[in-house]
Amino acid sequence: MRTFSCVCGGRVFFENTSCLRCGRDLGFLLEAGAVVGIEPSVGEIHSSPQGPCRKCDNYATHALCNWLMPADARERTCLACRLSATPPDTSRASAAAWAEVEAAKRHLIYTLYRLRLPLVTKAEDPSHGLAFDVQGGDDATNVLTGHADGLITLNLKEADPVLRERMRVLFKERYRTLLGHFRHEIGHYYWDRLIRDGGRLAAFRTMFGDETEDYAKSLEEHYASIENGTFSTDYISAYASAHPWEDWAETFAHYLHLRDTLDTAQVFGFAGRLFPRASLGSTDFSILLEEWTELTVAMNALNRSMGMPDPYPFAPSPKAQMKLEFVHRVIAEASAVRPAVKSAVDRRVPIVVERGASLRSR
């Protein structure tokens, strides 16, 4: 993630709620794309370098959110919190897990907003809107993480790193994180919005295959063959080979991996030096891919120096790269119909880009 500066000059980060240098409260303003310091206030309205603002109700009540809203906003909660179908459980047993989930979701929403993808809640548009339903507690043992008609369901137990690693090993996955889950499932949502409803089915089928294939049978065959641990290099991951819907969702998730990680690397000066033409505003996917390849090689080498697993244990084949470029083009076309994000962040590194009815479990 990007770093930001407090008004005192101290470096602050996306999740910070206070500045370690001056002690000011901090909050993230989505519209400005920045973490800002806020001044103490008698009432709920605070002053900031971006103008009057107030804290999301979940910031003040649950300490599960650090986002701010313009002072004149009609809503009481920020966009990330309004997208939640289930209120956070702040009991001692669940608070830490909820905090992990909400942090990953905010990261996702920030990326989608910067990519200028359509973001509308189910309260605003019941038919085409988006909502997240995080289910926890003992009764959530059999909850499947998945997407159906704009509702993304996540099992709170995925916030348990031990359980998540056990599941990763069981399903022979190379990567399994909360943010990865969100990026995958949001891919299903955008398949509905951008492919099915966007008039791109023919192009999708040419690239990914026929999504009308029996989904349940495809998954059954995939899990039956998982023991051999092999899959065609036409796919970004083993799970992508299960069905065209999963191929799209996995590829979409990897595209978000690429964009977010390059964004962060450029801020810290780790990208953009070998290929000075490249910027996150480039519509030339070959430049992004070239820089991504160099960066992931370095990332993996650094982790190996510490005796750690590769952070990106994938090597996309030419066919998988073509699918990534397809996702890039679809997002670029979708972003063109939404007004550009105006912020100091975007001026520094401009961004131009730029399922079915059943739940999918991973």
Side-chain angles (χ1 to χ4, degrees):
M1 290 297 295
R2 294 174 173 275
T3 62
F4 306 89
S5 294
C6 179
V7 292
C8 72
R11 175 182 282 186
V12 296
F13 299 87
F14 183 69
E15 293 295 339
N16 287 162
T17 55
S18 63
C19 175
L20 293 179
R21 175 184 286 188
C22 70
R24 279 183 176 86
D25 280 356
L26 301 172
F28 179 75
L29 272 170
L30 182 62
E31 293 79 6
V35 174
V36 299
I38 55 178
E39 302 298 334
S41 173
V42 175
E44 65 177 13
I45 305 302
H46 300 264
S47 61
S48 80
Q50 298 291 338
C53 61
R54 55 184 171 82
K55 296 177 178 179
C56 168
D57 275 3
N58 285 338
Y59 186 126
T61 305
H62 301 303
L64 291 176
C65 177
N66 71 327
W67 282 20
L68 307 172
M69 298 178 295
D72 59 355
R74 291 177 301 174
E75 300 85 1
R76 298 297 309 175
T77 54
C78 68
L79 175 61
C81 289
R82 292 199 307 277
L83 286 165
S84 294
T86 306
D89 177 357
T90 56
S91 66
R92 179 176 298 181
S94 299
W98 271 100
E100 293 286 338
V101 170
E102 291 298 311
K105 188 182 70 178
R106 289 195 300 275
H107 192 141
L108 174 72
I109 300 306
Y110 167 75
T111 302
L112 300 176
Y113 190 85
R114 280 182 48 75
L115 291 178
R116 293 160 51 195
L117 285 165
L119 273 173
V120 60
T121 68
K122 275 199 168 294
E124 297 168 306
D125 186 346
S127 298
H128 302 99
L130 174 66
F132 295 88
D133 184 18
V134 181
Q135 299 185 23
D138 294 336
D139 58 344
T141 302
N142 296 318
V143 171
L144 298 181
T145 293
H147 166 265
D149 298 325
L151 180 65
I152 291 174
T153 302
L154 181 76
N155 192 329
L156 186 63
K157 293 182 183 296
E158 284 287 345
D160 180 345
V162 175
L163 175 63
R164 193 168 60 244
E165 178 63 11
R166 186 182 304 142
M167 297 296 288
R168 187 193 67 79
V169 173
L170 175 65
F171 291 115
K172 300 187 182 300
E173 297 172 339
R174 298 180 181 179
Y175 172 93
R176 190 182 182 97
T177 67
L178 284 173
L179 184 54
H181 277 316
F182 279 130
R183 286 173 171 168
H184 175 95
E185 300 305 337
I186 204 70
H188 287 302
Y189 171 74
Y190 283 117
W191 187 91
D192 289 352
R193 301 282 74 80
L194 305 180
I195 302 298
R196 186 194 64 193
D197 301 341
R200 298 182 176 94
L201 271 176
F204 169 84
R205 289 168 179 167
T206 298
M207 183 64 65
F208 291 89
D210 185 1
E211 83 288 352
T212 64
E213 294 175 2
D214 190 309
Y215 179 77
K217 181 180 179 182
S218 295
L219 275 193
E220 182 180 350
E221 292 174 351
H222 167 73
Y223 286 119
S225 65
I226 204 170
E227 287 302 320
N228 63 34
T230 61
F231 61 95
S232 168
T233 58
D234 286 352
Y235 303 94
I236 197 82
S237 69
Y239 193 60
S241 67
H243 188 274
W245 274 331
E246 301 304 345
D247 194 6
W248 161 267
E250 284 287 272
T251 305
F252 192 95
H254 278 253
Y255 183 77
L256 296 188
H257 296 337
L258 179 157
R259 293 308 294 258
D260 252 18
T261 309
L262 275 179
D263 192 6
T264 303
Q266 285 195 336
V267 169
F268 284 95
F270 300 149
R273 293 178 294 179
L274 295 178
F275 309 101
R277 295 173 301 149
S279 77
L280 292 188
S282 174
T283 56
D284 186 340
F285 180 74
S286 64
I287 296 175
L288 292 176
L289 183 62
E290 187 177 22
E291 186 136 328
W292 175 242
T293 301
E294 290 294 322
L295 179 63
T296 53
V297 169
M299 285 165 48
N300 290 344
L302 287 169
N303 261 36
R304 293 175 189 181
S305 297
M306 294 289 293
M308 300 288 288
D310 290 353
Y312 191 74
F314 304 92
S317 67
K319 178 65 174 179
Q321 292 173 15
M322 291 173 62
K323 293 175 181 178
L324 284 168
E325 184 173 12
F326 181 90
V327 172
H328 176 82
R329 292 198 308 270
V330 169
I331 290 177
E333 292 168 4
S335 72
V337 303
R338 207 193 93 178
V341 179
K342 302 295 185 182
S343 71
V345 172
D346 292 311
R347 286 193 292 273
R348 187 170 73 236
V349 184
I351 285 190
V352 176
V353 225
E354 100 135 279
R355 143 207 134 218
S358 60
L359 290 177
R360 298 160 178 75
S361 62
R362 295 206 58 208

